[in-house]
Structures are given as C-alpha cells and as structure tokens.
Amino acid sequence: MSARYFEDFSPGYGGAAARAALRSDAPRLDLTGSWAFRFSPTVQVEPDGFELPDFDDTGWDRLVVPSHWQLHGYGRPAYLNISYPIPVDPPFVPDDNPTGDYRRVFEVPASWPDAPSVLRFEGVDSCARVWLNGIELGVSRGSRLPVEFDAAAALRPGRNVLAVRVHQYSSGTYLEDQDTWRLSGIFREVTLTACPSGGIRDVFVRAAYDAGTGAGRVSLDVDAGAPVRVSIPELGVVDVPAEEELTFGAVRPWSAEDPFLYEAVLATASERVSLRIGFRTVEITEAGVLTVNGRRVVLRGVNRHEFDPDRGRAVTRETMRRDVEMMKRHNINAVRTSHYPPHPWFLDLCDEFGLWVVLECDLETHGFETAGAGRWEGNPSDDPRWRTAYLDRIERTVERDKNHPSVIMWSLGNEAGDGGNLAAMAAWVRERDPSRPIHYEGDRFGRYTDVYAEMYRTQANVKRIGQGRLRPGECFYPATDGEGDPADEPRNRMPFLLSEFAHAMGNGPGGLAEYLRLCEEYPRVQGGFVWEWIDQGLRTTDAEGREFFGYGGDFGEELHDGNFVCDGLVLPDRTPSPGLLEYQKVIEPVRISPGSSSGTIAVENRYDFRDLSHLQWTWSLSEDGTPVDAGTLTVPPLAAGERVEVPVPVAPGRGGELRLTVQAELAEPEPWASKGHPVAWGQMPLAPSEVPVRTRLTGDRATAATTDGDITLGPGRFDRHTGTLIGLGEQSLRGPWLTLWRAPTDNDLGGAQRDAAYWRERGLDRLHHRTVSLDLGEDALTVVVRSAAAASSSGYLTTYRWDADQYRVRLQVRAEPVGHWPERGDRFGEAMVDHDLPPEQYAELVRRDKAPSVARIGLHWILPESWSRVGWLGAGPGEAYPDSRCASRIGRFESTVDDLQTPYVRPQDNGNRADVRWAELGEPAGGGIRVDGDPLFHLAARRWGDRQLAAARHQTDLTPEPVIHLYTDHAVQGIGTAAVGPGVLPQHRLEVGPAEFTLTLQPLPGRE
C-alpha cells in the first residue's frame, strides 16, 4: 500500500502561499452546485481512476457543494465536546475512515486569459486531495481555512474535470477537536480565478487613526506584478501610487458603534481590486486597558459557531446576515469566532454592521487533556513535529482576514493546552501584524499573549482579577495557589477578558447582571463572550415523522456528549431564547433608572463612542399594570460616558400601583433595525411604592359545613379525608400539594453545584403526602400535611389554613422542614463569595452556598384542560427567575398555557413568571379562577407535570395530559450557569427553611 498521505504531521503539500480574500474583477468561475459523489465508509488511499477526465461517473450520486455529506444520508453526524472520535494515536487514523470522492465537470470559456489560474477551496473537512484533469495539485489539511492550488499546468480550454478525495479523518483531526458536530465534506465555496499578468496577488491594508488629532494614515503593502495605483474618492485620493503612505488631517474612524468604511480601489493595467477601509487603532495602555481609537471598550460579546439546523456549517450569506442583524438588535457588540475563522462573508458583515471581532485560528487539541495517563500527555502544542502545521494554520488565518477593521484581536486557538508551538504562533503574528493584540485563553500566565483571558470564573474571582490581586504563580485551572506580591504579577497589568462565560445551555444563564457590573467597576475587566450564540440542534424526525432538533446520541453515535451542543442564546431555528433577552437588557448601551432625587430619571450613556443623538425617547404610565398615559421625553444628546437627570414627565396624583416606563428608540432606521426599534428601557415605581396586598377578605366570614360528604367553606369544596380543594364555585379543580422540586434545568444538573442530584437524593421528585390532621372550625379549615419521599426522612410539614367569604377562599400556608437535611457539597465553595464583604456577611453567604436547597417552595394544582387562557399582573412578558429577571417589566399580560412554555431542545423547567400580583386562568369563553398573592408569587402552568417534563429528551416526547398543571410558588431558586461555570450565587439560592405565604382564590364567571 502506498503511504497514507493523510497521516503525517505536515499541513499538506502543493498549496500556494496564503493571501487575503480579495474582491477582484479578474475572471472567476464559481464551481459550487451539483457534483458527482461517491461515498465509502472505509479508507480509500489510491484513486481507482476517478480523477481522470474520461472516468464514467454516471452511476454516482449527486451532492450539492457546499454541504456536509452526513446531512445527506452518508454516514452519520456525531457530536463530541472533548473526546476524539478516533483512537488517540497521532498522526494516525483508523481504517474505518469515511471517504467521499467528488467530481465536477466545468467549461473554461474561450475568453479565459492565457495566464496563471488559482483553484481556491474556502473549507474542506478534514483532508482533501485534489486533481485537475488527472493531474494532482496537492493535499490540504486545515478544515476551516482556505487553500489555493496553482491550476495553470493542468487547466485546459473547454471541458475540465476537477476531482477531490475527502477523508473524514486525518492527522488534521488531532488539531480540530472543537466542541461541535463532526461533519465532513466540501462545506464552503470552490472557485477558479485567473491571475492576469501584472495583476494584484495580495494586499495588506494598515489604516490607523490618531484619537488625539482625528488624523488618519493608510499604508498599503501590495504584492503585484506591475505598478499599483490607489483611489479613495471620499478622501480625495485619485490614482496615486500605492506605495506612498497616505495621511489625512481628519477622517471618520471605524468602530463597532459607527462602522464607517471608505471605498478604495487598487488597480494595475490588468486588474482592479476593491477594498473597504476602516480607520482604527487598537492599543493597550500602560494601565493594562484595551482601547480602540483612544477609548476603553467593553466587549459585550458572544461565541459563535457557524451553524444551521439543516446545513450544519455550510451557512448561507442570508443566514449570516440574519445573525449579525439579530446580534445588533440585541445590543451585542462583539464576536469571538469560536473556534476557527468563519466564512469570509461573515467578517464582511461585521465590517459593515459593526461588531468587534476576536478572530480565532482553527486549532483545538482538547482531547489530549484527558486521553493519556497524565494531563495533556502527548499534546501536539509542545511537540516540534507539529510546529509547521501550527504555523501554517495561523498564517492562513491572519493572511486571509488581515484587512478587516472589525478584527481587533487574533486568537491562537482554543483549549490546546500550552507549549512551544503556541509561543511560535504568537511570535509569527507579532512579527506579521503588530497592530492587533494576541489572545489565547490557555496561556495561563500571559507569557506570550497580550490579554489575560479565562473561562467561567466566578464573579468573586473576576473581581479579584479586576482589583489586580492575582499572586505570582496563582492559577485557576488547574487550581494552584500563588505566593508573593501581586505587584510582581504581569497579569495584573493586562486587560482581562472572559473568553467564555455564562454558559447558555437550556434555561439560563443566570447571574449575567453580576458579571457586567464588574466591567463598570474595574477598567481592566473588559467584558467577554457568552457561550454561545446558537443551539446546535440538527433538524430531524422521529419514527412517526414528527420533527425535532437532534443532539448527541440521536444519530447512533459510538461516543457522544448529549445535548451539551445545545447551549446557545438562540434556539436552533434562531428564535431568541429568554437568555438572549436577558443579555440584551443587561448590556444595554443606555441605562435608564430612578434619579438621585425624587421626581427625576437618570439617563446614562454607556456607549464607548457614540452620543445619544440617534435616539428618541418615549414614556408610558401604568396603573396596576394598565396603561393610563403616554408621551415623549426630551433627553440631551449625551456624549459617551455622560449622565443626566431629567424630570419625571408626570405627577403621581393617582391611586393604585403606578409605574413609569421610559424607552430609548432608534430615531431613524439603521441597517440592522427599523425606526422605533427599542435600544434600552427602564421602569420605575411612582408613589405609592408599596405593592398593595390583594388577599384580604372583604365580605362576612363564611361558615364551614359538611355537605354531601364534602366540606364546604364559602365557594370552596374540600375533600373531607385529605382537606384538599376539589371545587371552587361551579369550577372543578384539585389541590394544592406542596412542591419542592422542578424538572432539572441543564444548569441544575451541572457539576458545579449538583443541585439536581441533591434533590433527587432527597426524593423531592417523588413526594408522598400524608394528612396528619384536619380541623374543621366554625369559619376555618386547618389541614396539616407531612410531605416526604420513600426511604427518606427529608420532608416538610405544611399547615394549610382556609377561611372564606361568600366570594373567595383564602389560603394561609406555613411550611417548615422536618427530618434530616444533610449539607450540600459545592465544587466552587468559597470561590463563589466575594472575599471583600464584611466578615459576618461573608460567613453567612458561605454558609448559604453550602446549605441544603430546594428548587421551589410552592403549591401544585390540577385544573381542567380547557382552561388554556392565562392573564396576570406581574413581571413579563417572558419567563424570569431570581437571577435572570432583568428583561421582565411589570404589567398586565395575556397568554395561553401553550405560549407560556419555552421549547428548550432538551425539555426542562421553564416558563416561570415572577412577581405576580394576581393571575387568572380559564376558558377562552370565560370561567376559571383568579389567584391573588400576598403580595407576590411565582406562576407557571403547563399541560404536563414536572416528572413527565424531566423524563422527556425532546419536545416530541411531551404528550399533553387531559389536565393543566398550575404552580403557584412562594419562592424558586435561581438558575446559575453550572452547566459549565459557577452555580447559583448564594443570594439567589433557595435554602431549606420555613416559609409562610398567603393566596386568595376566586371563581370567575363565564362571559356573556
């Protein structure tokens, strides 16, 4: 057998030197479309003649390029986070290596110039061997990186045949262990471009901005076969030599907030290249602050994988544009291209719409962390045999995307450990492009990078970093204590970024507001990137033809990491999740809040550059959630960083609960949103500030009686054995039962806090209820119930005291823990708590962080299935939890039971509405019940119980029951981000302890 060319340490052979993606008027053929395709589930090394022009491929299938063959029935997609899908035996791969052969016949027109031609592949996963008309051009590795082959010697006039053999696995697989679907094939465009004699091969644009003077400077490093002239019409530059440095006394700089681009043309006698130039300068100050154009920036960003639920990484231009528009509309200003360079179109959009970009190399070797006997044993990052491949990958990254003003930082890769090859990459980048800082989270001590980066550090640890309190040698991962003076630690003088934080898996993330506050308090804490943008669920169908989004394990994979791939701020179909709405609110570029004195509103401009002249201001006043007045507000066009207080536009003068909502909207359309798009809002109470108690009985007390075997009290009917409510007026319902559990969220299941495991160990998901006593007084019914699980003594003793008037029943609840509740372990422990707190407060939070917890303390009711209409006065319109409720405002809202649900890819607790004053549930035509709080409660309603919700793997597993489950909770626990990262902050934990609360229930009449 011939040498297996896909198994060596090199990046391949035959490829031309990397260069920028250029917009040229040179002749070009687009070779995307339908290709002949043959699939083999095992390795194919030497061709069988398929590369020859006269090979008969009429019996082959047809496969569209770009695409992944697994999504068209060849092989199967597999999702892995860390583990390799092959034995760890570098650089070798197994014989069961799926192989795809591609053939494309194309015509070279007679007008094609007699000049060198370049065949360019934008992305092939993972190894491609290329022939043109039977002549081998070379082999490429580096799946998400472009490769070019010199086609001149093989190209013919008229009919040509391009043949490509693609292997799913190669030595390159060891450098591409990214947390995403393993998908193969030619998944980006293929083009053939003529290179005219005297044309332009490459351009490096350096456009700097002097923030002190407003001046701009452009230098052009051009690789061309003839003299090059440049024109920038808007700057008065017309046909001047490109080798001259151009200076301008005043230019409009580029930023993510004002992405102004100057159109430029470079020309020789035979070729014209179009460029878009953005003037900006990226620097790090002596104080360790990252600046752009002289101003500190905060990266309110997301990590973005390329993904589409039907196309995988073969993402269309329209989808990319939709992503960028959605990011801008949700106040996101930065993207980390995890964990590889994206399609170049995406960066064009970032330039045009305005997003800061940390551009990451196509490199990750995470599987070596756990594959060997020791941590990172055999990792290529410190193996000299891999150095050429490492340098090739960073060179192809930088050279392709060097002209994008949106790219403000180069990232060497992700989770590839540490080693000399990474240091060599950094040295190459620093030599080639010293204008951009270098990022790599794995450089734990900042030895060869320019910014200090971490993942998933607790808010308390981020505060320590911001304060410059790291000790020399201190490391968070693996946890290592340092020693010495923090003044001697270089990381304390570097900008700090959270490469990943707030893991957006399922319901969550919680704790966003606490993270972003640290960016305001500490100048070196300059934001970061939520993991991640989109749930990577692949659209598929079950045996009954029902559509759902698949994740790891749904395609018969040998190894998989389950739904860990579904951890985005948007659902797979790009529906915004509640997590995205929360992030949008937390990172608003304008803060609207109560002023420092009564009767004023504070407005703060939190943009890094932009003033507020592009916004218009509206206000609305609500009384008990009902709008009663509205108008416009005058706010001066504050410069970035400025703050003003303006008068409240209305005098209270009314009763009830008054709330003023002020909204900042686009005054004119932007490329990413229409006029009137809300950029920020704030809501504040007006007098009276107290939430009114709504649970008082106003009529004469009703007398309790026994009728037809049941107990009656006012409009309520109760089971005489258990004391549960079985009817209210003419309405039938059942309950309540104490509930302490919820269908675990992905964060509840996370290893950082193990809440779900603790709750299951205590049996909170399977409580049995025993009526201890039932006392029927003259005007009250008192029921005592003990609730605990089989084989467990951990329980609650709950006293339900009912009284009523002729219209309503009132329920007063006291619940207190009984039995043994052991302390709950926590992987983070004291790291969750701010060490700078007063000693008593610190000790209390540490205690709470370890104390036994429950998911909720509340009541479960069973309602008729026809009661599908829901209305409430409280926080809304979307779901909210104690640590993820910034996006909710107080008002009156209407919904259906079905629309209360958030369809997370893996079903879990969702749909909680917070701070509810009252809620009504009933039939659309009328009838039902009203529940009032004393003064507030949490509300959730769904067509299935928590145990069914917890057992489901997909939304299609949820079968509606012939009832509606209503939950009225006194308290619920926060969400946290423990799927990866910190658990629920102590102040948002729900500790096992007594609870007292009151509800009033009233039957609703049917509508006439």
Side-chain angles (χ1 to χ4, degrees):
M1 177 181 290
S2 302
R4 289 160 54 119
Y5 54 86
F6 45 84
E7 294 178 324
D8 63 57
F9 296 101
S10 78
Y13 58 83
R19 63 172 182 163
L22 300 175
R23 292 182 293 165
S24 168
D25 67 353
R28 178 177 176 273
L29 293 179
D30 181 357
L31 300 182
T32 58
S34 178
W35 291 47
F37 180 74
R38 178 179 63 181
F39 178 75
S40 173
T42 57
V43 66
Q44 303 294 314
V45 181
E46 290 305 315
D48 58 355
F50 87 96
E51 79 281 12
L52 301 175
D54 57 354
F55 181 85
D56 183 6
D57 62 17
T58 54
W60 285 22
D61 297 333
R62 291 289 185 256
L63 183 66
V64 67
V65 170
S67 71
H68 298 286
W69 68 55
Q70 289 91 346
L71 302 184
H72 292 267
Y74 306 98
R76 60 186 63 170
Y79 165 62
L80 287 166
N81 172 24
I82 298 174
S83 300
Y84 283 105
I86 57 174
V88 181
D89 181 26
F92 306 108
V93 297
D95 293 339
D96 50 343
N97 183 2
T99 300
D101 291 330
Y102 294 78
R103 281 172 54 89
R104 175 73 153 85
V105 178
F106 64 94
E107 293 287 326
V108 170
S111 60
W112 194 262
D114 183 15
S117 295
V118 170
L119 183 66
R120 182 177 177 112
F121 293 81
E122 296 293 345
V124 184
D125 193 322
S126 74
C127 175
R129 188 178 181 186
V130 180
W131 296 265
L132 181 60
N133 296 321
I135 299 173
E136 184 176 1
L137 302 184
V139 168
S140 171
R141 284 182 281 279
S143 298
R144 294 91 168 178
L145 296 163
V147 62
E148 292 186 343
F149 297 102
D150 183 354
L155 196 65
R156 303 172 180 173
R159 182 179 185 270
N160 287 260
V161 178
L162 176 60
V164 184
R165 171 158 285 178
V166 179
H167 301 288
Q168 180 164 344
Y169 305 126
S170 69
S171 58
T173 302
Y174 291 102
L175 306 184
E176 297 172 8
D177 192 32
Q178 287 95 341
D179 175 13
T180 187
W181 290 99
R182 311 305 166 103
L183 298 169
S184 315
I186 306 173
F187 70 96
R188 289 181 185 161
E189 289 70 25
V190 183
T191 56
L192 180 72
T193 304
C195 300
S197 176
I200 299 171
R201 171 165 174 76
D202 197 14
V203 181
F204 192 171
V205 179
R206 294 176 172 90
Y209 177 73
D210 187 326
T213 65
R217 184 179 72 254
V218 175
S219 62
L220 300 167
D221 182 3
V222 184
D223 179 4
V228 180
R229 313 286 289 184
V230 61
S231 298
I232 313 174
E234 199 165 353
L235 290 173
V237 176
V238 180
D239 197 32
V240 303
E243 62 268 20
E244 295 182 5
E245 182 175 86
L246 304 174
T247 59
F248 309 96
V251 296
R252 183 172 170 182
W254 187 97
S255 73
E257 295 169 7
D258 181 23
F260 189 80
L261 297 166
Y262 290 91
E263 296 290 336
V265 175
L266 278 68
T268 69
S270 59
E271 185 178 9
R272 290 168 59 87
V273 167
S274 299
L275 294 170
R276 297 190 300 183
I277 295 175
F279 289 89
R280 58 108 187 90
T281 297
V282 185
E283 293 178 313
I284 296 174
T285 69
E286 290 185 3
V289 175
L290 176 70
T291 65
V292 180
N293 299 336
R295 296 189 66 92
R296 173 184 182 258
V297 295
V298 176
L299 305 185
R300 302 171 176 96
V302 292
N303 285 279
R304 175 188 177 267
H305 270 293
E306 293 186 300
F307 184 75
D308 179 272
D310 303 300
R311 300 174 58 90
R313 285 189 295 279
V315 183
T316 66
R317 189 192 296 262
E318 292 73 24
T319 298
M320 297 178 209
R321 184 184 181 96
R322 181 181 175 189
D323 278 348
V324 171
E325 290 175 344
M326 287 182 67
M327 290 176 188
K328 294 290 289 187
R329 286 197 294 267
H330 289 88
N331 296 325
I332 290 165
N333 72 356
V335 173
R336 176 180 175 227
T337 67
S338 53
H339 298 295
Y340 42 83
H343 195 292
W345 291 342
F346 180 77
L347 298 177
D348 289 340
L349 292 166
C350 293
D351 292 343
E352 177 184 342
F353 287 85
L355 289 170
W356 308 117
V357 175
V358 174
L359 191 80
E360 199 143 273
C361 184
D362 187 10
L363 175 66
E364 180 166 340
T365 65
H366 202 173
F368 283 91
E369 184 179 21
T370 56
R375 182 181 293 273
W376 295 105
E377 180 181 356
N379 185 22
S381 294
D382 205 31
D383 185 338
R385 295 174 297 176
W386 291 96
R387 182 158 298 182
T388 300
Y390 272 61
L391 290 172
D392 172 78
R393 285 173 182 255
I394 194 64
E395 180 179 352
R396 288 155 72 185
T397 298
V398 171
E399 297 295 355
R400 192 197 73 170
D401 298 327
K402 60 199 173 198
N403 294 325
H404 289 283
S406 58
V407 177
I408 62 169
M409 202 176 301
W410 300 114
S411 177
L412 303 181
N414 182 67
E415 293 175 326
D418 199 359
N421 294 335
L422 288 156
M425 293 170 73
W428 184 91
V429 174
R430 199 165 274 115
E431 175 70 22
R432 178 60 171 148
D433 180 24
S435 71
R436 294 175 171 103
I438 298 172
H439 163 278
Y440 174 61
E441 177 265 343
D443 181 18
R444 306 286 182 202
F445 298 102
R447 292 179 291 110
Y448 47 83
T449 51
D450 300 306
V451 298
Y452 175 43
E454 291 277 0
M455 292 183 181
Y456 305 111
R457 299 283 71 86
T458 67
Q459 293 90 337
N461 280 333
V462 171
K463 180 177 180 178
R464 287 190 60 241
I465 294 168
Q467 292 173 329
R469 292 167 53 194
L470 290 177
R471 297 177 296 275
E474 180 178 359
C475 189
F476 292 103
Y477 185 79
T480 306
D481 288 333
E483 59 182 19
D485 189 345
D488 297 329
E489 173 50 65
R491 291 172 295 170
N492 290 328
R493 297 182 296 276
M494 299 172 75
F496 176 71
L497 289 179
L498 283 158
S499 303
E500 298 174 17
F501 79 110
H503 195 264
M505 187 175 179
N507 188 338
L512 283 170
E514 287 82 357
Y515 274 117
L516 271 297
R517 273 191 220 109
L518 297 168
C519 299
E520 299 178 23
E521 191 169 352
Y522 302 103
R524 289 177 41 254
V525 177
Q526 297 190 247
F529 305 89
V530 169
W531 185 267
E532 62 175 308
W533 172 242
I534 188 169
D535 281 347
Q536 296 182 62
L538 290 171
R539 198 187 313 271
T540 187
T541 55
D542 63 15
E544 299 177 25
R546 297 176 301 178
E547 186 178 281
F548 67 96
F549 293 114
Y551 50 78
D554 287 326
F555 302 96
E557 307 98 306
E558 178 184 7
L559 295 174
H560 67 85
D561 284 312
N563 69 311
F564 203 70
V565 77
C566 296
D567 45 15
L569 290 171
V570 298
L571 304 183
D573 62 0
R574 286 177 162 76
T575 299
S577 76
L580 178 59
L581 302 182
E582 179 77 358
Y583 195 38
Q584 174 189 19
K585 177 61 180 169
V586 168
I587 62 176
E588 283 176 340
V590 180
R591 175 176 290 144
I592 304 166
S593 58
S596 58
S597 58
S598 176
T600 62
I601 304 162
V603 177
E604 181 182 356
N605 182 353
R606 297 201 295 166
Y607 283 105
D608 296 324
F609 298 89
R610 200 172 191 183
D611 66 25
L612 301 187
S613 60
H614 65 295
L615 300 178
Q616 62 187 18
W617 304 80
T618 62
W619 62 267
S620 62
L621 180 69
S622 66
E623 181 179 359
D624 292 335
T626 300
V628 293
D629 203 356
T632 60
L633 192 68
T634 299
V635 175
L638 302 175
E642 289 187 346
R643 181 181 184 274
V644 72
E645 295 194 7
V646 297
V648 169
V650 292
R654 292 175 179 268
E657 185 184 353
L658 297 177
R659 289 192 173 261
L660 178 70
T661 302
V662 176
Q663 186 159 283
E665 306 167 345
L666 291 180
E668 299 295 337
E670 298 270 3
W672 42 269
S674 59
K675 177 180 178 179
H677 167 77
V679 171
W681 61 270
Q683 188 180 68
M684 55 214 75
L686 301 181
S689 59
E690 293 294 325
V691 178
V693 176
R694 303 173 184 275
T695 56
R696 297 187 179 94
L697 299 178
T698 57
D700 295 336
R701 295 296 184 269
T703 302
T706 301
T707 306
D708 297 329
D710 296 327
I711 297 171
T712 62
L713 181 62
R717 302 190 310 280
F718 301 83
D719 183 285
R720 65 187 178 93
H721 301 291
T722 64
T724 54
L725 185 68
I726 58 176
L728 192 64
E730 301 300 319
Q731 316 291 355
S732 296
L733 70 161
R734 289 183 290 137
W737 299 273
L738 182 74
T739 180
L740 305 172
W741 183 72
R742 65 187 179 203
T745 68
D746 290 309
N747 288 300
D748 291 337
L749 293 163
Q753 61 190 37
R754 295 188 67 251
D755 272 321
Y758 181 85
W759 300 335
R760 193 172 292 276
E761 289 164 4
R762 308 273 62 77
L764 304 188
D765 58 324
R766 49 186 177 85
L767 293 180
H768 296 280
H769 307 280
R770 176 176 64 87
T771 302
V772 176
S773 64
L774 189 156
D775 181 19
L776 181 61
E778 181 179 350
D779 60 359
L781 170 65
T782 303
V783 183
V784 179
V785 177
R786 192 181 193 280
S787 303
S792 173
S793 69
S794 303
Y796 262 73
L797 192 69
T798 307
T799 300
Y800 303 91
R801 186 182 187 280
W802 298 88
D803 60 353
D805 60 20
Q806 60 180 321
Y807 307 107
R808 305 193 293 177
V809 295
R810 179 171 58 185
L811 171 61
Q812 296 172 296
V813 180
R814 174 173 174 80
E816 51 191 334
V818 294
H820 175 58
W821 291 86
E823 188 176 83
R824 185 191 61 85
D826 191 324
R827 174 163 78 90
F828 279 88
E830 296 186 9
M832 292 287 291
V833 183
D834 183 355
H835 288 245
D836 290 339
L837 293 171
E840 299 81 6
Q841 189 177 355
Y842 173 80
E844 172 61 13
L845 287 178
V846 170
R847 185 197 65 76
R848 291 189 61 185
D849 191 48
K850 297 178 179 295
S853 72
V854 291
R856 63 186 349 149
I857 299 177
L859 304 177
H860 176 205
W861 312 77
I862 300 295
L863 309 181
E865 65 177 322
S866 59
W867 289 12
S868 61
R869 179 183 60 84
V870 185
W872 73 97
L873 169 58
E879 71 181 29
Y881 291 79
D883 56 354
S884 60
R885 56 144 305 141
C886 295
S888 294
R889 64 184 78 187
I890 303 300
R892 293 186 63 160
F893 303 100
E894 296 275 341
S895 182
T896 65
V897 168
D898 295 331
D899 287 343
L900 288 179
Q901 316 309 309
T902 302
Y904 294 113
V905 175
R906 186 192 72 80
Q908 55 198 271
D909 189 86
N910 71 92
N912 184 73
R913 267 58 180 183
D915 294 343
V916 177
R917 281 77 167 149
W918 56 258
E920 295 180 347
L921 294 93
E923 299 188 13
I929 61 166
R930 174 179 169 123
V931 183
D932 284 88
D934 183 12
L936 307 173
F937 62 97
H938 295 264
L939 170 73
R942 55 182 68 101
R943 296 188 181 277
W944 36 77
D946 280 352
R947 294 183 70 173
Q948 184 187 353
L949 186 61
R953 293 189 73 250
H954 299 288
Q955 292 293 323
T956 49
D957 298 329
L958 293 171
T959 303
E961 300 177 30
V963 297
I964 286 174
H965 296 265
L966 170 66
Y967 298 88
T968 56
D969 293 327
H970 169 66
V972 300
Q973 176 156 292
I975 296 297
T977 182
V980 176
V984 179
L985 290 169
Q987 60 266 36
H988 300 306
R989 297 194 60 77
L990 183 54
E991 186 177 343
V992 171
E996 295 187 35
F997 55 96
T998 301
L999 299 173
T1000 301
L1001 283 70
Q1002 178 179 350
L1004 297 176
R1007 298 178 182 175
E1008 295 296 333

